[in-house]
């Protein structure tokens, strides 16, 4: 699916404010440790629903492979976007941040993040992969989950994660539906 189509679909599904289904939240609680679950629970409802959908697709893709049943990959898919919480941006703010990053370049994000107001929030949002990795480590998450969070938007770094290539492909494909 093209990136624009993916983002359009994500935008419209993000507008629904509902929580994930109780059975899905219970499933997540069976995968994550208590501190990781607390971290995941801070995410917006639409981000939690998205992470569940991604994780279900990862689980399905890995079924029958040597990587099936490894909770590290499920944790990585559930927590990959956890760094978005720090930006405190709603759906429309995220759209603006994504456009700002595309126009000005994501390399501006660190300078923006030390400013005030909306500029800071845009900078933090654009740095969500690195911020999420820090938070996952602080919550006692696996190194694989932290590395995937840090790398999930940058294919040039995927080989450096130590995550097997078939798992990286499953994680990426499930997220870029």
């Amino acid at each position: 699916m093209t990136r624009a189509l993916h983002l359009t679909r994500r935008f419209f599904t993000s507008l629904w404010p509902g929580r994930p289904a109780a059975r899905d939240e219970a499933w997540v609680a069976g995968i994550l440790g208590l501190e990781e679950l607390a971290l995941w629970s801070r995410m917006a409802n639409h981000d939690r629903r998205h992470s569940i959908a991604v994780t279900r697709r990862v689980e399905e893709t890995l079924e029958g492979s040597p990587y099936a049943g490894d909770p590290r990959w499920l944790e990585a898919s559930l927590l990959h976007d956890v760094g978005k919480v720090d930006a405190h941006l709603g759906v429309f703010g995220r759209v603006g941040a994504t456009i700002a990053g595309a126009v000005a370049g994501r390399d501006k994000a660190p300078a923006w993040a030390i400013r005030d107001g909306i500029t800071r929030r845009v900078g933090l949002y654009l740095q969500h992969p690195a911020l999420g990795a820090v938070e996952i480590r602080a919550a006692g998450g696996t190194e694989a989950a932290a590395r995937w969070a840090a790398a999930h938007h940058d294919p040039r770094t995927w080989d450096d994660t130590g995550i097997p290539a078939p798992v990286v492909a499953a994680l990426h494909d499930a997220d870029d539906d």
Side-chain angles (χ1 to χ4, degrees):
M1 181 181 297
T2 68
R3 184 80 178 142
L5 192 56
H6 167 72
L7 292 175
T8 301
R9 182 172 177 261
R10 285 283 309 274
F11 170 77
F12 285 108
T13 59
S14 296
L15 295 177
W16 182 60
R19 293 176 59 126
R23 71 182 180 285
D24 288 332
E25 288 184 334
W27 178 70
V28 170
I31 296 169
L32 300 177
L34 289 177
E35 288 188 51
E36 296 161 302
L37 182 60
L39 188 62
W40 180 83
S41 296
R42 290 179 45 222
M43 292 169 57
N45 286 336
H46 59 89
D47 287 330
R48 289 186 292 144
R49 291 192 316 266
H50 168 69
S51 76
I52 289 166
V54 168
T55 304
R56 296 271 192 206
R57 287 190 293 269
V58 167
E59 187 175 52
E60 183 180 308
T61 300
L62 295 178
E63 188 176 324
S65 79
Y67 309 105
D70 190 326
R72 292 178 299 169
W73 318 137
L74 303 182
E75 176 192 346
S77 58
L78 285 168
L79 297 177
H80 73 278
D81 279 337
V82 76
K84 291 180 179 181
V85 171
D86 299 318
H88 302 286
L89 288 175
V91 174
F92 294 101
R94 289 177 177 195
V95 170
T98 301
I99 292 168
V103 171
R106 288 182 169 262
D107 58 322
K108 301 274 195 260
W112 293 345
I114 60 173
R115 310 262 321 261
D116 292 323
I118 190 69
T119 305
R120 173 180 171 70
R121 291 164 53 196
V122 167
L124 291 172
Y125 180 78
L126 294 174
Q127 294 183 88
H128 82 268
L131 295 172
V134 169
E135 291 182 12
I136 291 167
R137 288 180 180 111
T142 65
E143 188 59 25
R147 287 182 181 180
W148 181 247
H152 76 279
H153 282 300
D154 189 356
R156 298 169 302 171
T157 65
W158 293 351
D159 288 342
D160 300 332
T161 64
I163 299 172
V167 176
V168 167
L171 290 164
H172 170 69
D173 292 347
D175 189 29
D176 200 23
D177 58 339

